[in-house]
Structures are given as C-alpha cells and as structure tokens.
Amino acid sequence: MMSKSHLFYQSDTKRPVLAEARGIYMWDVDGRRYIDGSSGAMVSNIGHSNPRVLDAMRRQMEKSTFGYRLHFETEPGEHLAAKVAALSPEGMEKVFFVSGGSEAVESAIKLARQYAVTTGQGSRWKVISRAPSYHGSTLGALALTGYDPLTRPFEPMMRAMPKVPAPRAYLDGLDIDDPATGAHYAAMLEAKIVEEGPESVLAFIHEPVGGASTGALVPPAGYMQAVREICDRHGVLLIHDEVMSGGGRTGLFLGADHWGVAPDIIAISKGFGAGYAPLGAMIAHDRLVEPVLKGGGFMHGHTYAGNPLACAAGLAVLEEIEAGDMMENATTVGGLLKARLGDLMQRFDFIGDVRGKGLLLAFEFVSDRRTMAPLPKALNAHHHFVELAYAEGLIVYSRRTRNGLEGDHFLVCPPMITTGEQVEEIVALLTRALNRFEEKVLPALPRSA
C-alpha cells in the first residue's frame, strides 16, 4: 500500500489504490470490489481487460509502439481510419487521430477555421455553442464550454464564444415529443447567428446526446433536423461533439445516427478507444479537407496523433463492439436500466427526471417535481450521493445541472457488455445509496419551497 501520493487531480478526496479491473468490475488492493457504473468517465465502453484487445496491443507492441505521422503511415492507423470512415455518414471519409476529446474538439474548430480562410471566408471565426455544455479543458475547447466553475477562472486567457440555451425541455416545462419544442430551441440558434452577423459565424457545435454538463440530454423532436437546416441556410458548419455519445454507447455508432442527421465535422473519443489507449479522432467531410490540403496543409497536429499502438487498440475495440453485438446490447440493456431508474423515480420523490439513450443515462435530483426547483445548492447533493454510492461499491458520475452552479444529476453508464442481471446489481446498490441519502443527507438542510 502506498503511504503517500505525489499525484494531484481535482480535489483532495482520497481514493483506494486500483489493483485490477475486469468486465464491469474493479478491485482495490484491499480486495474490495466496485461496479464501474459510469465506465470511468463514460470511457470503458467494452469493459475492462478484454483479452482480444489486449492481444492486439501485444502484437502491435512487438512491431512498433511509435511512428511519427510525418515520417510514416502505419497499418493500424490506415485500417482504423478506413473502419471509422465506413461507420460515419456518407462523404465523411477523412480522419485525423488525436489522444483525447479536448484535442478532437480543438482539431475540429481549427479545421473549420482553416477551411473558411482557404475558401475566402476569412470573416467567419465565431463558433456558437450551448449553455450548459462541456467541450474540453484546453483553452480553445474551454472557450466553447458553458459551465461556469470550469470557465470563469480562465476567462482572461481565452476568447469566450457565443452561447445559446441547451434544449432542456424538461426544465422549461415543454413537451420533448412535440416538434414545436424542437423548433423553439432551434430558433434560438438562428436568432444568435443573425445577432452575431452570419458572415462572422464559422460553426455551431453541440452534443447530439448530452454528456456530463447536461446529463444524457436527449434533444426534442425536430431539433436535430432544424439545426442542420439553419446551419445550411447561413453557411455555418455543423460540428457534432460525439466524444461521449459516440462509439456505440447510445445503441448506434454515433448519437446523431438516431436522427439521421449528418454534420460537417465530428469529434469522437472516450469510448472510441474504450480506455485501452489514449485515442480520439476528428472525422471530416472530404469537401472541407481537400481545400485545406491544397492550400498548404492542415496547420495543426499533436506528437501522438495516429500512434500505432493506440490505433491497434482502437481497431480491436471496434471489432469487439461489432463481434459482440454490443450496440444492440446497449439498446436492450439500456432500455431495461432506464426502466429501472424510472422505478426509482416513482419511489423517491426527489428524483425529478430520468433521461438518456442506450447506456448513456442519467437521473436528476429536485426539491419539487412540479417546479423542477433544484435541491439547495449548499446541500452539495451531487457530491454526497456519489460518495454514498461509492461506499456501497458503485461508481457513478455527477455534475451540477445548471451551468455548474446548482442542481444535481448523475450519469449511470455501465459498459456496453452489462447484462440484465448486472443491471439488477446496479439498481440494488443505487437503492441502498438513495435510502441513505434520504435518511442522512436530505434532513441536513431545509428543502427549498
């Protein structure tokens, strides 16, 4: 057992030392078992220690572990790029590998800008995003992010981009299944484009199915199609941030596939490499890439872009997803888990919403379902419940619902290999944690009216 840690991360919360992880389970050095109910940070899509992925990585390690992208092409990189292109919307056949989601988003906005400059649209530079949202921790990606605690300290160091409200119909008392709701939120994007001046707007970026900042938010009827039409009408590029929703977790390879809407650029990571190696990608339409390459090349890159070991792992991950029908399992088991979360909502009146698609799911705490008022901010419910679940041996992921300032939602996103029996294990542990929260945490502060 290590006596002192020299690492530091977001907080001083002490965690046990990880010993091993297999499937959906993890063990610490004291032998205690945990269910990975959030796949880490929605990363371990195919579960831990998949033997075929590990074998593919070993085979690649015997050949080469690094080949700089400007010196060599590599077979794993070429094969993975071809596989990704085949899984992407028609015409999106150009792939640029990176090491993570922030890099993928940075790459997307830089390609968009270089395309605009190369094609004589140099006045376009603004990238509209949503609030709340999260698109990464590097300064370029953070400028797109709408999550106050993460952005406020760094505002003097970056140029914040325009924001429009995320389509949180459940908080606004609107019907998610009514196309008028989708039109309502999409109209806010068009109004913002007009306000900023269409000639200055480069792109709009959003998550087809919400990630951490909105807690598995599913767009209302008609929203995705309306956004695509608005972007086309004003010559604005559409970027889909599929860092969390991509890789099959929602039941299809890309979250946007559920609505048949194709963007111009895609950022993907997390479950795409499933935690076996740092890996992400930007996927772009040919019509954007060709002018940039002819105009002098893509002025961007990272040392580990296209790393052959990471690409070998990523290719093996995609092969495992297909061979194991994991996207179909995400749909089936995700439907069961969502229904069981709905059962918990009926039992605990402080759960105000359950949402998501496939195995990208979340539930949200409220003090009043009628008004959707949040629990008191000082209660710090998002932190307390995560700790209660952890004490029960269940890992879940939380964020503050309302721009990071208040509200509490929890992502329940186990790996895509999860079985029906394991769903019941997860629900049993959630129930115990919810009971403890109701008994020990809620009485600590007065509930808001």
Side-chain angles (χ1 to χ4, degrees):
M1 187 73 174
M2 292 180 289
S3 59
K4 180 179 180 180
S5 175
H6 297 278
L7 297 169
F8 80 98
Y9 298 106
Q10 285 184 315
S11 71
D12 59 359
T13 300
K14 185 66 176 173
R15 291 297 188 210
V17 176
L18 178 64
E20 64 174 315
R22 299 190 181 280
I24 75 164
Y25 302 104
M26 310 180 82
W27 289 265
D28 65 25
V29 292
D30 295 321
R32 186 166 184 221
R33 193 191 77 172
Y34 305 81
I35 293 180
D36 191 1
S38 61
S39 301
M42 286 58 72
V43 175
S44 301
N45 277 15
I46 70 168
H48 299 277
S49 303
N50 180 288
R52 284 167 293 279
V53 175
L54 297 180
D55 284 345
M57 295 176 72
R58 289 188 193 98
R59 290 195 301 271
Q60 182 57 42
M61 282 191 282
E62 292 173 356
K63 296 178 181 179
S64 68
T65 57
F66 182 76
Y68 189 49
R69 61 190 167 81
L70 298 183
H71 298 161
F72 293 97
E73 293 183 359
T74 68
E75 287 187 0
E78 291 300 312
H79 290 160
L80 180 57
K83 185 74 169 174
V84 171
L87 290 166
S88 299
E90 185 177 355
M92 303 196 72
E93 297 186 350
K94 293 294 188 286
V95 181
F96 184 89
F97 290 121
V98 295
S99 299
S102 297
E103 289 183 9
V105 170
E106 291 272 350
S107 301
I109 60 177
K110 289 178 79 172
L111 177 66
R113 173 60 182 168
Q114 288 186 54
Y115 167 75
V117 171
T118 302
T119 57
Q121 304 176 73
S123 65
R124 294 184 183 270
W125 59 272
K126 298 173 184 174
V127 181
I128 299 173
S129 57
R130 305 191 311 199
S133 63
Y134 179 72
H135 295 291
S137 59
T138 53
L139 289 178
L142 201 61
L144 310 174
T145 292
Y147 200 83
D148 222 46
L150 297 178
T151 56
R152 189 187 301 127
F154 307 104
E155 284 174 354
M157 303 172 68
M158 65 187 183
R159 191 164 192 169
M161 292 292 171
K163 305 290 188 297
V164 294
R168 296 181 296 172
Y170 73 101
L171 286 183
D172 295 333
L174 300 175
D175 182 0
I176 190 174
D177 297 317
D178 185 350
T181 301
H184 166 73
Y185 290 106
M188 295 180 185
L189 170 61
E190 185 153 38
K192 180 60 72 172
I193 292 172
V194 172
E195 176 189 334
E196 295 291 332
E199 71 286 347
S200 73
V201 179
L202 175 64
F204 173 58
I205 184 169
H206 73 114
E207 295 175 299
V209 180
S213 64
T214 56
L217 183 72
V218 176
Y223 177 81
M224 296 290 290
Q225 296 85 350
V227 162
R228 176 73 270 185
E229 291 167 5
I230 290 165
C231 288
D232 288 342
R233 187 155 57 245
H234 295 284
V236 172
L237 297 177
L238 177 58
I239 302 171
H240 282 173
D241 181 344
E242 298 263 13
V243 168
M244 196 172 290
S245 56
R249 173 163 289 282
T250 67
L252 295 174
F253 182 65
L254 298 169
D257 290 346
H258 292 281
W259 295 275
V261 174
D264 301 295
I265 306 174
I266 298 167
I268 189 170
S269 187
K270 289 190 180 284
F272 175 54
Y276 288 85
L279 180 65
M282 173 186 65
I283 310 161
H285 198 286
D286 289 20
R287 69 179 177 82
L288 303 184
V289 175
E290 293 303 330
V292 170
L293 295 181
K294 290 177 181 177
F298 188 28
M299 299 296 111
H300 175 67
H302 300 278
T303 299
Y304 290 96
N307 176 270
L309 181 57
C311 288
L315 182 59
V317 166
L318 293 186
E319 289 172 347
E320 281 297 285
I321 288 172
E322 291 185 336
D325 292 325
M326 292 185 196
M327 287 187 273
E328 182 178 345
N329 190 63
T331 298
T332 303
V333 174
L336 172 61
L337 178 55
K338 188 177 181 182
R340 298 293 281 117
L341 293 177
D343 293 341
L344 292 177
M345 180 174 170
Q346 295 304 312
R347 178 171 173 179
F348 297 96
D349 63 4
F350 53 89
I351 298 179
D353 192 53
V354 170
R355 55 184 178 268
K357 234 177 207 326
L359 279 169
L360 181 53
L361 299 171
F363 61 91
E364 183 166 337
F365 286 173
V366 296
S367 62
D368 186 326
R369 285 185 188 168
R370 182 181 55 83
T371 65
M372 296 301 286
L375 291 172
K377 180 165 56 175
L379 190 60
N380 211 16
H382 74 295
H383 170 76
H384 285 302
F385 183 75
V386 165
E387 294 306 309
L388 290 171
Y390 198 89
E392 297 292 342
L394 175 66
I395 301 168
V396 294
Y397 195 97
S398 75
R399 280 291 183 267
R400 304 218 92 158
T401 301
R402 306 169 199 220
N403 287 31
L405 300 175
E406 61 182 342
D408 314 274
H409 64 248
F410 306 89
L411 286 143
V412 186
C413 309
M416 294 160 60
I417 60 170
T418 302
T419 66
E421 289 182 357
Q422 290 169 333
V423 164
E424 296 308 319
E425 284 187 75
I426 291 168
V427 171
L429 296 178
L430 274 176
T431 302
R432 283 158 57 177
L434 288 164
N435 279 326
R436 290 187 64 196
F437 180 83
E438 187 173 46
E439 294 166 2
K440 298 184 178 299
V441 178
L442 280 185
L445 286 171
R447 303 274 293 273
S448 55

